[in-house]
Amino acid sequence: MARLSVVFCIDVIFIFMAGIYIHVPFCKTRCHYCDFFKSTKVQFRNQFLGQLLKELENRRKFFPESDKIIESVYFGGGTPSLLDVDQLKKVLAVIRKEYSLDNGAELTIEVNPDDLDPDYLEGLKKTGFNRISLGIQSFFDEDLKRMGRRHNADQSRKVIDQTFDAGFKNVGIDLIYGLPWSDQEKFLENLKIMNQYPLKHLSAYHLTIEPGTQFGRDKKRKKLSEIEEEQSEQLFWLLHDEAEKMGFDHYEISNFCRDELYSRHNTSYWIGKSYLGVGPGAHSFDGIRRFWNKSDLHQYLHCGYQKGIGEEILSENDRFNERLMLGLRTKKGIDLFDLKNIHPGLTDRLEKNIQKWIDRDFLMQSGGRIFGSRKGWFLIDGIIEDLFEV
């Protein structure tokens, strides 16, 4: 049986410190597929910034001593590129003042192609950003229009060139596949166009139609539906095989990188490091407890984060299940020895359940690590659910 070569390559060791996530909840318009918390009330950006800076100052003691050094700051959304350079400078200035930011920290910002120009990119560079994530989604105008994106294909190509011209080296893009009106040939062409650029990272997500989105409403009216699972699997392996030929390492179900430029920030999530999320709708984790800010822009603007913050102490089962879920979605998989040390009472049943998946060639074992085979990785979410401790 053919095997997934990237899953065999398990010698990569991730040693990342804590991170800070900045949720910028503004969008000029709503994309038809997106169910992240967002608001089109962009006129409140200055008021939002004031509350965001206060939250960063108030939560400066959030991190435990073991995770005191901050190695990544990630501006996501929403649309972070709706903040101007001076606003972004203020956020980073507070982080540098109040937190122990590592000198070589990864500073990422998600940007929309239609928000960028050479001056803005130059400003990002001077401010200290060293990683850019471009929300391309597709290089075809039809796809972009039907997804409700604001930019067009020409802008996508132009802004990638401008980003490299501004001196950024660590540049990645997002693509969406599994579009009901599209096909394999079109997605392959997207990958070929992507390969014309020296990109270091790719996040590729299969379209999921979520309730509450425009696509969700279209699905309810039977105007749209997800593609068949067989088609999804074919696209997944087309993506993997072509990206691998292009020199990308498929290091997590939806993420690929060149030259070992993994997303430090996202990888910290996957290995269970602490992270602080600020802004409405943002989540945080201190190693034991999970926190979340209420997804309510009005409350955040008028009362700050304190009035809407929620908290949950994770049970041992929760932490065990989360470690399984996050680990098995990566090519590195999970270390059974570590799992036994951390959760000694929960691994007997797990080992029996793992064995049945190994016997069916869905999971593989090497050097004490468990990870997905080529047959199993596409179905890994279902396998993880079966392994959960309830």
Side-chain angles (χ1 to χ4, degrees), residues 32 42 123 139 237 333:
H32 296 169
V42 297
F139 289 100
W237 290 117

Side-chain angles (χ1 to χ4, degrees), residues 217-232:
R217 292 186 286 273
D218 289 343
K219 180 180 179 180
K220 193 172 181 179
R221 293 193 292 262
K222 301 189 183 304
K223 292 184 176 181
L224 195 69
S225 61
E226 288 97 342
I227 65 174
E228 297 294 328
E229 185 169 315
E230 182 180 354
Q231 294 174 280
S232 295

Side-chain angles (χ1 to χ4, degrees), residues 88-358:
L88 295 169
K89 282 180 181 177
K90 290 176 182 178
V91 177
L92 288 176
V94 170
I95 292 174
R96 290 186 173 108
K97 178 184 176 184
E98 304 291 350
Y99 299 83
S100 299
L101 186 64
D102 186 73
N103 288 334
E106 176 190 87
L107 304 182
T108 303
I109 182 169
E110 294 178 352
V111 293
N112 272 11
D114 53 310
D115 293 329
L116 302 185
D117 58 39
D119 289 340
Y120 188 83
L121 287 163
E122 183 182 358
L124 294 180
K125 185 72 173 174
K126 288 180 178 178
T127 302
F129 287 98
N130 51 31
R131 186 171 182 271
I132 300 291
S133 179
L134 293 161
I136 300 296
Q137 314 309 351
S138 174
F139 289 100
F140 289 94
D141 285 333
E142 179 196 3
D143 296 344
L144 296 169
K145 185 175 181 180
R146 295 186 71 165
M147 286 190 284
R149 299 292 293 171
R150 289 187 282 121
H151 67 281
N152 59 45
D154 285 341
Q155 285 176 306
S156 293
R157 291 171 177 260
K158 182 178 179 181
V159 80
I160 294 175
D161 286 330
Q162 289 177 340
T163 303
F164 284 109
D165 289 344
F168 288 99
K169 306 296 183 185
N170 194 354
V171 181
I173 67 169
D174 288 357
L175 291 178
I176 293 178
Y177 66 102
L179 302 173
W181 58 84
S182 192
D183 54 32
Q184 284 194 35
E185 289 72 20
K186 202 169 180 181
F187 185 56
L188 180 60
E189 186 62 25
N190 263 317
L191 295 176
K192 289 179 178 178
I193 294 171
M194 175 195 73
N195 197 38
Q196 295 172 10
Y197 304 95
L199 297 165
K200 300 300 183 184
H201 200 272
L202 167 65
S203 294
Y205 302 103
H206 191 292
L207 176 68
T208 302
I209 299 178
E210 301 288 354
T213 65
Q214 181 60 53
F215 280 175
R217 292 186 286 273
D218 289 343
K219 180 180 179 180
K220 193 172 181 179
R221 293 193 292 262
K222 301 189 183 304
K223 292 184 176 181
L224 195 69
S225 61
E226 288 97 342
I227 65 174
E228 297 294 328
E229 185 169 315
E230 182 180 354
Q231 294 174 280
S232 295
E233 186 169 6
Q234 290 171 352
L235 286 169
F236 179 81
W237 290 117
L238 173 69
L239 167 64
H240 162 71
D241 292 339
E242 292 301 317
E244 189 178 56
K245 290 176 189 175
M246 296 170 185
F248 283 93
D249 177 9
H250 192 176
Y251 70 102
E252 194 269 346
I253 286 288
S254 301
N255 288 277
F256 306 72
C257 72
R258 285 172 168 150
D259 302 331
E260 298 188 358
L261 286 173
Y262 312 100
S263 168
R264 293 191 214 167
H265 188 83
N266 288 341
T267 302
S268 292
Y269 294 159
W270 303 328
I271 63 175
K273 299 297 288 184
S274 300
Y275 57 89
L276 171 64
V278 296
H283 286 238
S284 307
F285 178 59
D286 68 0
I288 298 174
R289 296 169 297 172
R290 193 168 305 287
F291 307 85
W292 56 92
N293 291 355
K294 189 173 181 180
S295 297
D296 186 328
L297 178 61
H298 182 270
Q299 186 175 73
Y300 189 83
L301 295 179
H302 295 281
C303 305
Y305 77 97
Q306 297 98 327
K307 293 291 184 181
I309 196 165
E311 178 181 341
E312 174 189 17
I313 297 177
L314 299 183
S315 68
E316 184 177 7
N317 281 11
D318 291 335
R319 296 195 303 274
F320 177 82
N321 291 340
E322 190 161 289
R323 183 174 289 268
L324 277 178
M325 178 183 69
L326 298 176
L328 284 175
R329 286 181 59 88
T330 71
K331 75 167 190 177
K332 190 170 179 247
I334 56 171
D335 187 317
L336 278 181
F337 181 76
D338 286 347
L339 206 60
K340 286 180 181 180
N341 281 339
I342 299 169
H343 304 285
L346 297 177
T347 52
D348 288 345
R349 192 183 75 85
L350 174 68
E351 289 186 89
K352 292 178 182 178
N353 281 346
I354 283 175
Q355 190 58 50
K356 73 182 181 184
W357 291 107
I358 292 174

